[in-house]
Amino acid sequence: MLLPLPVVRDGEEHTSRDARVLHGVDATPLATVHEAPPLITRLAVKAMRRAPRIPLDERLTILAEAGRRFAEDTLGGESPEEYCRLQALASGVPVTVARGALGRVREDCARIGDVVAGQRPVGVGRAARWARRGDILGVIAPSNHPGTHGAWLQALALGYQVVVRPGARDPFTPLRLCRALLAAGLHPGWITFLPGSHAAADVLIDAVDLALVYGSETTVARHRGNARVLVRGPGRSKILVDRPVDGATLDHLVAEIAGDGGVRCTNTTAVYTSGDHRALAEALADRLAVLPALPVTDERAVLPVRPQKEALGLRASLRRAAPTADDLTEHRYDDGPVPVVDGDGSALRPAVMCVDRADHPATATELPFPCVWVAPWQPSQGIGPLDNSLALTLLTDDAALVGRALDTPGIRTVLHGALDGWWRDPYLPHDGYLGQFLREARGFASSPPPRSPA
């Protein structure tokens, strides 16, 4: 019998007539995912509106305990190690990523009160209040990295009830978080887990007050202009190398390109350099090509794995994006760029694509494995080619360029220098503070109390 992954509403776990089998990247059946149809989605959100408010101190205590339970406890019969194994097999991300998420969730939940307090506008106080824009947040979650779920945990701290529609490949992480929160004492009306179809996701967005949606460029375009929906799409993170390249610089580039299997939206998609871009691309190819292709549950795994047909399609998309670009890694692989490593699962080896100009359209192509476009850049081109970046790392001594990057709306995070592990900092805004979307400053004034008669 396959492991059942239930719908969770009103604190209870339910099965459904609508169900699908979730296969691992090796084609092994892992679980039966029970899905909530659109009607149940609407009813679940309606029921949540009857839940009582929970004071901030109590919410923070619950979140800290939930983080500990997520990292340490057996929940729903699933140990932390079994969670890591299942999450890796389903998502195709190396098992060490899920292991890292255990500790990261525990640490982030312990300090989440300070994190959200830092998002509060300085002017809030005597003449303003920082108020919620609604009560219930719907989350259309991704499957690329378990760390993305930290956002909706912040929403709980900010006073929102949360409904999560998990990504198709990783229902394990949000389900474990829901179980941890309920075990920690969260009121059942404050968290709901609703696997479902695309139609159910649309109903969820319509039923809640605000929605956080992860998706592709098509998803971003579909919800653009909707003030109720915050969309987090492709990152297209970039690095500019405007100084001599040494071993430490190459080490940093490799870590930013391939860390966590290259699946984060903060992984580097394009590298620009004022030096010899071909030489830099060759040096990166030398280092990235030696990363081992292994099953995702292997302790030494560092690359993502996908079913073979999907892996071949992803690799082929490189050629569609830039038919004439040079792939400097392909000839370095004796067993090919997508070798079968486990059952039907193929590892996605890194790709280093060398293009001849900074404005090449292919540099906007982001794929869920270590794939980087290397292009030339000159100071006269300025910020233009570096724009539209979730994160832009500037390895330069040009302070004026750093200032221009900070003033460019399309660049959401600016990193000056080689900052290792910067993306783990919970105090650093990810495409802005979530609090900017969930709350707003409202004017407040109050007359002084009347004086008591003498």
Side-chain angles (χ1 to χ4, degrees), residues 44-104:
V45 173
K46 183 178 180 180
M48 292 177 74
R49 297 194 183 280
R50 297 192 291 269
R53 303 310 305 168
I54 301 176
L56 174 61
D57 288 348
E58 185 178 343
R59 297 199 305 270
L60 297 183
T61 298
I62 289 169
L63 281 162
E65 175 64 9
R68 186 197 67 77
R69 288 176 178 268
F70 179 86
E72 301 174 8
D73 286 8
T74 294
L75 300 167
E78 175 192 82
S79 68
E81 186 56 34
E82 179 66 359
Y83 154 72
C84 292
R85 185 186 74 86
L86 291 169
Q87 198 279 338
L89 283 171
S91 68
V93 179
V95 69
T96 51
V97 175
R99 290 217 183 93
L102 293 176
R104 184 179 172 189

Side-chain angles (χ1 to χ4, degrees), residues 236-243 252-253 256 266 268 270-272 386 389-396 401-402 405 411 413-420 422:
R236 299 194 178 99
S237 297
K238 303 175 181 71
I239 295 179
L240 171 67
V241 182
D242 184 31
R243 60 177 55 156
H252 182 71
L253 294 177
E256 293 298 292
T266 53
T268 299
V271 173
Y272 299 83
L386 311 176
S389 301
L390 176 60
L392 172 63
T393 296
L394 295 170
L395 305 182
T396 182
L401 184 67
V402 176
I411 300 173
T413 301
V414 176
L415 306 154
H416 188 200
L419 303 170
D420 295 329
W422 60 269

Side-chain angles (χ1 to χ4, degrees), residues 100-176:
L102 293 176
R104 184 179 172 189
V105 167
R106 176 174 51 203
E107 293 166 8
D108 287 355
C109 284
R111 57 189 172 186
I112 202 166
D114 288 339
V115 170
V116 299
Q119 301 177 20
R120 181 188 179 105
V122 173
V124 167
R126 183 183 64 82
R129 292 293 183 267
W130 198 37
R132 291 191 319 276
R133 295 179 59 212
D135 294 319
I136 300 178
L137 175 70
V139 180
I140 309 301
S143 296
N144 63 315
H145 193 287
T148 56
H149 296 281
W152 62 262
L153 292 173
Q154 287 189 19
L156 288 169
L158 288 163
Y160 276 79
Q161 300 155 252
V162 177
V163 187
V164 182
R165 188 260 194 181
R169 293 195 316 273
D170 181 19
F172 295 102
T173 301
L175 176 58
R176 183 171 179 83

Side-chain angles (χ1 to χ4, degrees), residues 27-42:
T28 301
L30 296 178
T32 300
V33 181
H34 293 272
E35 298 186 331
L39 177 60
I40 293 299
T41 298
R42 287 194 183 279

